[in-house]
């Protein structure tokens, strides 16, 4: 299983990533968690990363390739992975695909977790009260949603064109979303990817 979950902030990628990874006994790699761990370690790189996260901006692609890709390659050497939050730009996707193909470990399937913007805004504002993340403030939330539309949404076509993508309705309950993903996966895993 080498799965990528694509979706806007607040769509439930973290929850579903953990569930699907557990079901398939593979590693769940959440780019945001890796970056927040770097921030918590208070390294120079962590301080730089923290600035981007708090502003709701993307961390530069090269930092992501240096920090996240080695973890994906390590996981791919075992039974596979469920990726959430990486890749988030076309440049990251193309670079990750090139590197992973050399190791025979490229993403085999992608799920787009679709939720309308108004619903996301409401969910993230609710989460802000509970979790107190540095990037869960109203203006930063709006910026993150815009960043998704501008930089990450093009990945939906990137994977669809390669025959790797399915879409689920992520407005439903977490259990229903898990069910949809588990139902979609066998056909996606069987499909032969279109060469990139
Ligand atoms: P997340 O936990 O996935 O919502 O990510 C939180 C924040 O981490 C994002 O708003 C970005 O600032 C940063 N981030 C996470 N993944 C990436 C990525 N693949 N590329 C650039 N920035 C990222």
């Amino acid at each position: 299983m080498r799965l990528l979950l694509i979706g806007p902030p607040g769509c439930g990628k973290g929850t579903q990533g953990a569930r699907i990874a557990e079901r398939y006994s593979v590693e769940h790699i959440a780019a945001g968690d890796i970056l927040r761990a770097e921030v918590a370690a208070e390294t120079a790189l962590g301080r730089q990363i923290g600035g981007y996260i708090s502003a709701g901006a993307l961390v530069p692609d090269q930092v992501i390739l240096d920090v996240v890709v080695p973890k994906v390659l390590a996981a791919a050497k075992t039974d596979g992975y469920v990726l959430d939050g990486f890749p988030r730009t076309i440049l990251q996707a193309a670079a990750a695909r090139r590197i992973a193909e050399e190791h025979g470990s490229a993403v085999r399937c992608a799920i787009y977790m679709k939720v309308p913007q108004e619903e996301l805004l409401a969910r993230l504002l609710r989460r802000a009260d509970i979790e107190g993340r540095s990037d869960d403030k109203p203006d930063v939330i709006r910026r993150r949603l815009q960043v998704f539309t501008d930089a990450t949404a093009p990945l939906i076509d990137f994977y669809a064109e390669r025959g790797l993508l399915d879409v689920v309705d992520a407005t439903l309950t977490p259990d229903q979303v898990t069910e949809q993903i588990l139902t979609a996966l066998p056909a996606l895993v069987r499909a032969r990817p279109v060469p990139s």
Side-chain angles (χ1 to χ4, degrees):
M1 169 61 53
R2 296 199 296 271
L3 168 69
L4 164 63
L5 294 178
I6 306 176
C11 75
K13 291 189 299 293
T15 303
Q16 298 302 330
R19 288 185 180 191
I20 305 297
E22 192 183 349
R23 182 67 72 100
Y24 282 87
S25 302
V26 295
E27 205 175 322
H28 172 214
I29 302 175
D33 289 349
I34 294 171
L35 296 171
R36 280 184 289 275
E38 196 71 38
V39 176
E42 295 184 349
T43 59
L45 183 61
R47 274 188 286 279
Q48 204 190 328
I49 291 172
Y52 291 104
I53 293 181
S54 302
L58 289 181
V59 173
D61 286 330
Q62 193 55 51
V63 175
I64 297 294
L65 294 178
D66 291 344
V67 175
V68 181
V69 167
K71 294 206 166 18
V72 179
L73 290 176
K77 284 200 189 104
T78 58
D79 284 334
Y81 52 74
V82 176
L83 275 182
D84 113 43
F86 169 83
R88 237 171 168 110
T89 65
I90 291 283
L91 190 145
Q92 289 178 17
R97 205 161 169 74
R98 218 174 29 250
I99 299 166
E101 270 170 357
E102 284 166 19
H103 293 75
S105 61
V107 162
R108 281 296 310 273
C109 43
I111 299 273
Y112 169 37
M113 297 176 59
K114 197 171 176 182
V115 182
Q117 290 261 340
E118 322 75 71
E119 161 89 17
L120 293 167
L121 197 56
R123 282 189 189 184
L124 288 165
L125 290 171
R126 269 200 307 275
R127 187 170 86 179
D129 290 336
I130 301 164
E131 293 183 12
R133 271 172 53 155
S134 70
D135 54 354
D136 273 350
K137 300 180 181 70
D139 54 330
V140 180
I141 288 172
R142 285 195 186 84
R143 171 120 193 247
R144 289 164 58 210
L145 291 172
Q146 192 60 45
V147 165
F148 176 80
T149 304
D150 295 343
T152 308
L155 291 183
I156 297 162
D157 286 343
F158 180 91
Y159 290 101
E161 282 161 8
R162 287 163 178 76
L164 301 173
L165 186 94
D166 210 336
V167 183
V168 299
D169 175 1
T171 62
L172 303 175
T173 66
D175 285 351
Q176 287 170 320
V177 177
T178 306
E179 206 46 52
Q180 285 183 80
I181 296 174
L182 290 174
T183 304
L185 280 178
L188 272 183
V189 170
R190 269 196 310 274
R192 217 150 52 89
V194 177
S196 43

